[in-house]
């Protein structure tokens, strides 16, 4: 097995195990950070999402516009 891969897996395991001791506030902060990173990732790699959510980057998910099937199909190549 590749030693670099094993090292990466062990490093990720260590990071995940550390989360088992997080306080509730740390869990909430971690979720917020992960969601922000996911939204940035989508906007940086998808012209559609960058345009669809422009100006709404910091809004709660419940306040984002609903993506309909028609909009999805019409903009499929941009996704």
């Amino acid at each position: 097995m590749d030693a670099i891969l094993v090292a990466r897996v062990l490093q990720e395991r260590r990071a995940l195990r550390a989360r088992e001791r997080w306080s509730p506030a740390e869990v909430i902060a971690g979720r917020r950070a992960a969601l922000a990173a996911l939204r940035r990732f989508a906007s940086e790699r998808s012209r559609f999402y960058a345009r669809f959510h422009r100006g709404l980057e910091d809004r709660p998910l419940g306040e984002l516009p609903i993506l309909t099937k028609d909009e999805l199909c019409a903009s499929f190549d941009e996704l």
Side-chain angles (χ1 to χ4, degrees):
M1 190 166 220
D2 184 28
I4 294 173
L5 176 62
V6 171
R8 286 182 184 162
V9 168
L10 291 174
Q11 182 180 14
E12 186 65 24
R13 180 178 177 264
R14 188 172 25 257
L16 291 172
R17 292 295 304 258
R19 294 179 187 186
E20 292 175 359
R21 294 182 293 279
W22 280 6
S23 69
E26 290 171 312
V27 170
I28 291 169
R31 288 180 181 169
R32 285 185 181 146
L35 178 59
L38 178 62
R39 291 173 74 175
R40 264 191 319 277
F41 180 89
S43 289
E44 290 169 359
R45 288 165 178 78
S46 167
R47 289 178 297 179
F48 173 79
Y49 279 111
R51 180 175 38 81
F52 194 64
H53 290 165
R54 185 170 290 125
L56 304 171
E57 293 83 6
D58 296 325
R59 305 301 298 173
L61 292 179
E63 294 181 14
L64 296 178
I66 295 172
L67 176 59
T68 66
K69 184 177 179 181
D70 290 338
E71 289 171 308
L72 179 74
C73 291
S75 302
F76 190 75
D77 290 338
E78 289 183 298
L79 289 170

